[in-house]
Amino acid sequence: MVERVSTVTHLLISSFWPILKAGLLITIPLTLITFILGLILGLLTAMARLSRMKVLDFIARFYVWIFRGTPLLVQLFILFYGLPSIKVTISPFTAAVIGFTLNMGAYNSEIIRAAILSIDKGQWEAAYAIGMTKRQAMRRIIIPQAARVSIPPLGNSFIGLVKDTSLAATITLTELFQKGQQIASVNYEPFWIYVEVAFIYLIFCTILTYLQGYVEKRFEKHVAK
Amino acid sequence: MIRIDHLYKRFDEHEVLKGISLNIDKGTTAVIIGPSGSGKTTFLRCLNLLEIPDSGTIELGEDKLTFEDQKITEKIKTRFRKHSGMVFQSYHLFPHKTALENVMEGPVIVQGKPKEEARETGIKLLGKVGLGAHAHKYPHQLSGGQQQRVGIARAMAMGPEVLLFDEPTSALDPELVGDVLKVMKDLSEEGMTMVVVTHEMSFARDAADEVIFIDNGSIIEHGTPKEVFEHTKHERTKQFLNRLEK
Ligand SMILES: Nc1ncnc2c1ncn2[C@@H]1O[C@H](COP(=O)(O)OP(=O)(O)OP(=O)(O)O)[C@@H](O)[C@H]1O
Ligand SMILES: [Mg+2]
């Protein structure tokens, strides 16, 4: 018994750094890159949905429909295992970035669109009344206010993304979760290793939740009440 | 200055403006009164194209628009809106900008003025409406009356030929109404051309050059305050004024 405790402790300590390292080197960069790209794509898609040009609106709707209506896991498989059959081969990391970005973009566009639509019509009218074009009103008056409204839901989708990146293990990307899998498979201590993996995700998400709270506070200072 | 001819506006089946014709000379303060739902707000919104009339013409300064036979593009709208400034019943200040930034926004973004110049004008205008000390506060840090005065300064900053007011004091606590009316009276005395929808009869009596009574989408009576209030011609105007006094 004592021996068992000592082995497990030893294993947990020796595996902690490799797993954390995979998290810091792959999971976190993957999350940050796809979140930023997904935010840009989401904003563009939201703009397209609100555009007067029917074609743009149609393309945006179609895109959101596809990516919200199919599992993320399947999207990743199509990109990584499917594309080579039509002679397009991409690295696991690239496939993950593309897959998560497209998925994030679809969800974020709905968050951003809802935030834009939630801004009082009077704000548009006040902007028009001082002679702004639709574009100027959107950029100067509406988007800054919509940004504040959408920070809490975007923060949630950010934290969701940290956890969803574990799906990239299935396309051979050695991120946090896959590192844990590798270690568990040679040490035959899956229970403790996966608890450790969970614990490291928990640390990441906790830090990010604090960060989210900080950003929210900074941005909500002057929201009309 | 402002010439409106046979202006019609309907929302679906509901005809709200039924052929409004009206001339307002430069430097005039015109007060529009009338019962709820008579079309006062719609009329004012037509003047800066927040609503597009179905037919008729509006001439503001040099600019003349004839509705029905002209497609009102965004370009036409933004050009036409340069002639007027609008003050809203519920202020509609930009909540993410300070009082000064609210006032500077139009000159800098729309007119492309240098920031420094816009800042100077902005500070002057805020001083004029009695808010010199509050330039760096955000709207939520200001009282309703102060917010509305920022709204007036914001409209003034664009150097409009006409200022449009839609019940600028009706969302305010009674003790705050005076400050706003005072600013409006000053503007009126300085010769600003103003069209004011209001239920404040004291303002209509003291500051207006003309009073226009609208009922059910038509102008029923139009004259000096004395003509309309003391020598009322029409029965409907009398009824409306009687009800107001109660
Ligand atoms: N966007 C709209 N769509 C449909 N109907 C509208 C719209 N705007 C106004 N109306 C209708 O037009 C009529 C006139 O409205 P308007 O707001 O111009 O009246 P008002 O004289 O300003 O009234 P109040 O004194 O209550 O402000 C009302 O019956 C109103 O319901
Ligand atoms: Mg009204």
Side-chain angles (χ1 to χ4, degrees):
Chain A
M1 185 64 203
V2 174
E3 198 178 320
R4 176 81 204 284
V5 170
S6 136
T7 331
V8 168
T9 312
H10 191 77
L11 178 62
L12 286 181
I13 291 170
S14 67
S15 63
F16 186 78
W17 174 240
I19 298 177
L20 183 67
K21 197 168 130 194
L24 292 175
L25 291 184
I26 308 288
T27 300
I28 294 294
L30 179 63
T31 305
L32 290 177
I33 293 171
T34 47
F35 187 71
I36 289 165
L37 293 177
L39 212 51
I40 295 168
L41 184 61
L43 185 63
L44 292 176
T45 309
M47 291 294 116
R49 290 271 342 246
L50 297 167
S51 158
R52 267 169 304 193
M53 288 174 66
K54 287 267 155 27
V55 196
L56 286 183
D57 179 36
F58 179 80
I59 295 171
R61 268 169 199 271
F62 185 76
Y63 156 62
V64 172
W65 177 63
I66 295 289
F67 282 86
R68 287 206 312 174
T70 56
L72 180 50
L73 187 60
V74 176
Q75 293 162 19
L76 290 175
F77 269 52
I78 291 174
L79 281 168
F80 187 69
Y81 297 110
L83 285 185
S85 70
I86 54 164
K87 301 275 180 293
V88 182
T89 309
I90 45 181
S91 74
F93 191 80
T94 312
V97 167
I98 295 173
F100 289 123
T101 298
L102 288 171
N103 196 269
M104 274 276 116
Y107 280 94
N108 288 346
S109 77
E110 289 296 291
I111 292 175
I112 294 170
R113 192 175 75 98
I116 288 172
L117 292 176
S118 78
I119 304 301
D120 180 22
K121 178 166 136 289
Q123 290 292 312
W124 284 100
E125 296 187 343
Y128 290 150
I130 57 170
M132 284 193 180
T133 59
K134 192 177 173 192
R135 225 190 153 78
Q136 288 170 329
M138 184 64 107
R139 198 168 55 81
R140 300 282 312 176
I141 307 303
I142 305 301
I143 300 259
Q145 294 181 62
R148 285 152 211 234
V149 177
S150 56
I151 282 172
L154 286 177
N156 290 339
S157 87
F158 184 52
I159 286 167
L161 176 64
V162 177
K163 294 176 287 180
D164 283 348
T165 55
S166 59
L167 288 174
T170 62
I171 57 167
T172 75
L173 186 67
T174 313
E175 41 63 73
L176 200 163
F177 178 64
Q178 205 191 55
K179 193 77 203 169
Q181 266 184 317
Q182 287 170 3
I183 294 173
S185 68
V186 292
N187 284 302
Y188 305 106
E189 285 289 356
F191 179 79
W192 292 107
I193 293 296
Y194 288 128
V195 166
E196 186 173 45
V197 165
F199 178 69
I200 293 175
Y201 275 113
L202 192 61
I203 295 174
F204 285 168
C205 289
T206 306
I207 293 172
L208 292 173
T209 306
Y210 271 104
L211 210 71
Q212 181 193 2
Y214 173 77
V215 174
E216 265 172 47
K217 272 220 188 67
R218 293 236 10 192
F219 270 81
E220 274 177 1
K221 251 189 343 204
H222 303 298
V223 174
K225 274 281 118 64
Chain B
M1 174 80 224
I2 309 178
R3 294 173 175 283
I4 296 141
D5 197 31
H6 285 90
L7 205 65
Y8 284 85
K9 174 70 185 173
R10 61 163 68 236
F11 293 109
D12 303 320
E13 295 298 283
H14 184 183
E15 189 151 68
V16 177
L17 299 180
K18 301 169 183 166
I20 301 250
S21 299
L22 178 67
N23 290 343
I24 296 171
D25 292 331
K26 194 168 165 33
T28 302
T29 298
V31 164
I32 298 178
I33 56 173
S36 181
S38 56
K40 307 179 297 292
T41 297
T42 306
F43 174 66
L44 218 54
R45 288 164 62 84
C46 283
L47 294 186
N48 73 348
L49 306 182
L50 287 179
E51 301 292 351
I52 306 298
D54 298 320
S55 64
T57 61
I58 301 178
E59 203 178 326
L60 258 182
E62 319 266 86
D63 225 334
K64 182 171 176 176
L65 289 183
T66 303
F67 301 97
E68 203 166 45
D69 41 272
Q70 193 171 355
K71 176 147 172 37
I72 307 300
T73 60
E74 179 166 22
K75 208 165 158 194
I76 293 178
K77 283 188 202 168
T78 43
R79 189 194 68 210
F80 200 74
R81 285 177 183 143
K82 292 197 166 56
H83 302 290
S84 63
M86 181 110 172
V87 176
F88 298 88
Q89 181 172 1
S90 39
Y91 339 127
H92 296 328
L93 294 185
F94 307 132
H96 58 302
K97 293 182 184 292
T98 63
L100 182 57
E101 287 166 350
N102 263 275
V103 178
M104 290 168 60
E105 185 69 10
V108 173
I109 300 303
V110 177
Q111 297 176 332
K113 289 216 176 108
K115 272 207 169 151
E116 270 322 301
E117 188 188 327
R119 187 184 308 276
E120 244 170 67
T121 328
I123 287 173
K124 245 184 237 157
L125 280 168
L126 286 174
K128 196 170 159 184
V129 299
L131 294 175
H134 301 284
H136 299 290
K137 289 194 180 161
Y138 285 86
H140 74 101
Q141 298 168 316
L142 298 170
S143 75
Q146 291 169 333
Q147 290 189 48
Q148 190 56 297
R149 284 181 280 152
V150 176
I152 296 174
R154 177 175 69 180
M156 290 293 296
M158 300 301 288
E161 294 147 69
V162 194
L163 272 187
L164 310 171
F165 295 81
D166 189 12
E167 302 198 32
T169 58
S170 62
L172 297 175
D173 292 338
E175 71 271 20
L176 301 175
V177 169
D179 293 337
V180 174
L181 290 183
K182 168 87 175 42
V183 168
M184 291 168 59
K185 277 179 195 162
D186 290 348
L187 285 173
S188 166
E189 273 159 27
E190 284 167 27
M192 186 74 210
T193 312
M194 295 162 56
V195 183
V196 183
V197 173
T198 185
H199 294 300
E200 291 292 334
M201 287 303 135
S202 68
F203 180 82
R205 273 178 232 276
D206 305 345
D209 301 301
E210 297 177 17
V211 175
I212 296 139
F213 174 67
I214 295 187
D215 191 13
N216 200 12
S218 309
I219 295 181
I220 305 295
E221 195 149 351
H222 179 185
T224 63
K226 200 165 176 166
E227 285 166 351
V228 175
F229 294 134
E230 285 163 36
H231 309 287
T232 319
K233 287 198 201 81
H234 293 264
E235 199 48 40
R236 269 198 272 174
T237 322
K238 275 182 199 159
Q239 284 171 4
F240 175 76
L241 291 172
N242 277 338
R243 250 183 293 135
L244 264 194
E245 266 154 38
K246 274 180 208 150

